[in-house]
Amino acid sequence: MTNQSIEFDIDLIKRYDKSGPRYTSYPTAVQFHDGFGEAEYRKWAQKSSESGRPLSLYFHIPFCDTVCFYCGCNKVVTKNRKRAAPYLERLHREIEMQAELLDGSRPVNQLHWGGGTPTFISHEEMTALMDKTRECFNLHDDDSGEYSIEIDPREVQTDTVALLRKIGFNRMSLGVQDFDLQVQKAVNRIQTEEQTLSVLEAARREGFKSMSIDLIYGLPFQSVESFGRTLDRILEISPDRLAVFNYAHLPELFKPQRRIEAGDLPSPQEKLDILQLTIDKLTRNGYLYIGMDHFAKPDDELAVAQRERTLYRNFQGYSTHADCDLVGLGSTSISQVGDTYSQNLKGMEEYYERIDAGRLAVFRGYELNEDDKLRRSVITNLICHFVLHKAEVEKSFGITFDEYFAAELDELAEMEKDGLLEQHPDRIEVKPAGKLLIRNICMVFDRYLREKANRSFSKVI
Ligand SMILES: C[S@@+](CC[C@H](N)C(=O)[O-])C[C@H]1O[C@@H](n2cnc3c(N)ncnc32)[C@H](O)[C@@H]1O
Ligand code: SF4
């Protein structure tokens, strides 16, 4: 069983503070290339259909009414609600094409609408999108599927939550970020506590499970005191899960961030203090640290899956559905089918053009080789369970672990001395002080990083 405790060690965090990937895939998207396109995806999708594996469907709804200055998501900001119709028309066609290719009779165990803001679209459009999905794919009708949606509480009408439940959703995450008004003004996201609470209450009334809230630390004007107040309110609200994301200020990369004054950001020390406070407060109040910004109550399915070592990580973050092929629909979305990754075109016009030509919108991807699969398994185990049993990997991949990874194990010795992990003959175990630095540990097993240092990723903490 996984040890679910965590320790905040400021010296270690400062010492290991360097950029690193978030490992929602291995290899990461940096390795995707245009030699893997529609034809390759189609070949793998057909193979996947023969396997009969269940499906996980991701739908990207890229629209937002107003821009939050910190935002790093793939989105289109517009007040014109009519812009959704031409997009949804293409999405419907993509659903038909994918279902034809993938054998629509396979059960859809997981479904997710992300964005952007999925509730930007009208009730009629939401119903039509789910009807189309149900018509083409085999959705569960008994509420046993894990069907989730990202909600911006400012974009919800009185009966939206009831409608979402009626069309089949049973999980949701709410974007909050911070309750403090000064912070909200500085990031152009004014959202009252009442707006957040009323959605949460409606969701509970309608029987949604696993309610999750998104917060961000490191935003302008945040301090230990102000974020502490937000956390206290969150604890009263008592969501099942929390994602507390680290704000990385990269204005060269994300244009809206240019409207945030660097001088208004908390200092690196204050930011670490906020992180420490967050971990202390949440763990003292019964939440477990799942890993990579995520916390959950001990009885939440993520925490249970971690204890039972069935937790998995993919493009949607942590998941309890390791056995599914993940199919991404809509612009920018990423699929994980068989031993491949593939991504749809990012620009609206080019996405429309492809779909209108009766083609799938894949523009780049990657087919994993044996070494990739082996390393993916090692990284997934470490990042999900904080422990790696060498015999399991040896059995799956026919290698001798200590020989294959001799150089990596040597490198881990330094981390072991620092108290991040323990090496045993049969396993590698991440210690409570190493959990916040799990990315650093995974990076040791990343062949592409070993080969090519100096890539620009967001800071680990
Ligand atoms: C697509 S949004 C969620 C749905 C909806 N658009 C909303 O904002 O409520 C996904 C989440 O990503 C997080 N996020 C976005 N940009 C971020 C950034 N630059 N750094 C850290 N977290 C970020 C926010 O917590 C946000 O709630
Ligand atoms: S945080 Fe959500 S609402 Fe704000 S701009 Fe990003 S995707 Fe849109």
Side-chain angles (χ1 to χ4, degrees):
M1 210 162 92
T2 308
N3 174 355
Q4 291 182 305
S5 61
I6 179 177
E7 196 181 304
F8 183 95
D9 185 325
I10 187 97
D11 294 332
L12 278 183
I13 290 171
K14 283 183 177 163
R15 195 131 46 89
Y16 280 89
D17 185 24
K18 64 171 178 175
S19 305
R22 300 176 53 76
Y23 293 115
T24 51
S25 72
Y26 178 84
T28 62
V30 183
Q31 298 307 129
F32 295 5
H33 57 85
D34 59 12
F36 188 104
E38 185 188 2
E40 289 71 26
Y41 172 77
R42 283 188 176 274
K43 193 183 82 190
W44 277 89
Q46 245 147 22
K47 258 200 218 180
S48 138
S49 296
E50 287 155 24
S51 78
R53 270 193 298 273
L55 293 173
S56 169
L57 303 180
Y58 171 79
F59 296 83
H60 191 67
I61 317 282
F63 304 100
C64 297
D65 175 85
T66 50
V67 68
C68 310
F69 295 157
Y70 55 78
C71 185
C73 303
N74 281 305
K75 67 205 172 289
V76 174
V77 180
T78 177
K79 296 265 177 230
N80 182 1
R81 304 272 157 169
K82 291 207 182 92
R83 281 193 68 184
Y87 180 79
L88 291 169
E89 205 180 293
R90 272 62 173 222
L91 197 51
H92 282 215
R93 259 187 257 160
E94 196 187 4
I95 293 172
E96 288 168 0
M97 285 191 270
Q98 288 279 17
E100 202 178 319
L101 184 63
L102 283 161
D103 172 9
S105 70
R106 296 157 69 183
V108 177
N109 287 355
Q110 193 180 30
L111 176 149
H112 185 80
W113 287 9
T117 302
T119 49
F120 176 92
I121 65 178
S122 71
H123 285 187
E124 292 69 33
E125 288 168 331
M126 291 179 199
T127 309
L129 179 57
M130 198 59 115
D131 282 351
K132 179 52 111 189
T133 310
R134 211 173 276 280
E135 178 192 312
C136 297
F137 285 99
N138 183 11
L139 299 197
H140 292 283
D141 288 322
D142 57 0
D143 215 26
S144 63
E146 195 184 299
Y147 297 170
S148 55
I149 179 167
E150 290 168 18
I151 300 272
D152 177 344
R154 300 168 303 164
E155 282 285 345
V156 171
Q157 296 154 31
T158 337
D159 47 352
T160 305
V161 174
L163 176 95
L164 292 172
R165 186 78 182 105
K166 187 166 146 244
I167 64 177
F169 287 103
N170 49 29
R171 312 242 187 332
M172 69 166 71
S173 61
L174 302 182
V176 172
Q177 330 311 346
D178 195 326
F179 281 134
D180 188 273
L181 188 58
Q182 191 186 17
V183 177
Q184 291 190 354
K185 281 184 181 157
V187 298
N188 196 39
R189 187 185 176 117
I190 311 286
Q191 178 178 325
T192 64
E193 280 184 41
E194 290 67 42
Q195 280 174 310
T196 303
L197 267 179
S198 78
V199 177
L200 203 95
E201 279 159 13
R204 284 182 172 148
R205 227 177 16 249
E206 297 292 339
F208 275 80
K209 299 176 246 182
S210 263
M211 297 294 307
S212 184
I213 284 185
D214 293 349
L215 300 177
I216 304 181
Y217 75 96
L219 292 177
F221 300 113
Q222 275 179 345
S223 64
V224 169
E225 292 70 37
S226 77
F227 204 66
R229 281 193 297 274
T230 289
L231 288 171
D232 288 339
R233 285 296 295 133
I234 293 289
L235 288 171
E236 284 170 42
I237 295 170
S238 190
D240 306 283
R241 293 182 196 174
L242 270 166
V244 190
F245 296 115
N246 174 6
Y247 173 61
H249 191 58
L250 299 167
E252 326 77 51
L253 214 59
F254 303 110
K255 225 172 160 187
Q257 295 186 358
R258 294 178 198 168
R259 295 165 78 178
I260 291 180
E261 290 288 337
D264 295 338
L265 296 171
S267 68
Q269 182 60 50
E270 180 96 27
K271 212 174 147 185
L272 282 176
D273 291 343
I274 295 174
L275 177 62
Q276 176 160 28
L277 173 87
T278 304
I279 291 167
D280 285 352
K281 255 194 200 300
L282 295 181
T283 50
R284 261 192 283 115
N285 284 279
Y287 286 87
L288 295 172
Y289 180 69
I290 301 300
M292 297 297 298
D293 319 314
H294 288 270
F295 296 83
K297 287 185 178 172
D299 57 349
D300 184 82
E301 55 204 346
L302 275 194
V304 174
Q306 186 170 59
R307 281 198 294 280
E308 293 175 352
R309 295 215 302 125
T310 54
L311 193 64
Y312 191 64
R313 188 164 167 82
N314 62 20
F315 295 105
Q316 293 171 39
Y318 287 106
S319 155
T320 55
H321 291 274
D323 55 339
C324 292
D325 274 330
L326 171 63
V327 181
L329 300 118
S331 61
T332 78
S333 62
I334 302 181
S335 301
Q336 180 175 342
V337 170
D339 292 322
T340 69
Y341 302 123
S342 51
Q343 183 169 25
N344 273 356
L345 287 158
K346 296 181 181 181
M348 281 299 189
E349 289 311 318
E350 44 183 9
Y351 169 72
Y352 289 179
E353 253 172 51
R354 273 285 193 95
I355 301 291
D356 291 348
R359 296 180 54 200
L360 292 171
V362 176
F363 82 105
R364 61 172 187 167
Y366 188 85
E367 182 179 329
L368 282 81
N369 60 35
E370 280 309 304
D371 177 74
D372 293 330
K373 287 186 242 172
L374 164 57
R375 289 173 189 272
R376 170 168 70 180
S377 166
V378 169
I379 288 174
T380 305
N381 268 291
L382 286 169
I383 213 162
C384 290
H385 308 121
F386 298 119
V387 63
L388 180 87
H389 294 281
K390 295 178 186 175
E392 287 174 9
V393 181
E394 291 179 333
K395 190 164 163 235
S396 303
F397 295 94
I399 54 142
T400 305
F401 195 94
D402 291 354
E403 279 172 23
Y404 197 96
F405 290 113
E408 285 82 352
L409 294 180
D410 271 353
E411 229 172 280
L412 289 186
E414 193 62 29
M415 294 184 169
E416 184 170 21
K417 256 192 255 151
D418 284 336
L420 271 66
L421 51 89
E422 263 174 23
Q423 297 209 50
H424 299 272
D426 64 330
R427 68 187 191 282
I428 299 167
E429 211 174 292
V430 180
K431 302 303 294 171
K435 288 188 177 178
L436 283 169
L437 300 165
I438 188 65
R439 281 206 247 183
N440 301 63
I441 299 171
C442 292
M443 282 157 75
V444 172
F445 290 94
D446 184 333
R447 178 175 164 184
Y448 302 96
L449 278 186
R450 298 178 75 77
E451 284 173 358
K452 202 172 184 177
N454 296 333
R455 282 228 183 82
S456 117
F457 290 104
S458 60
K459 283 283 183 85
V460 175
I461 296 294

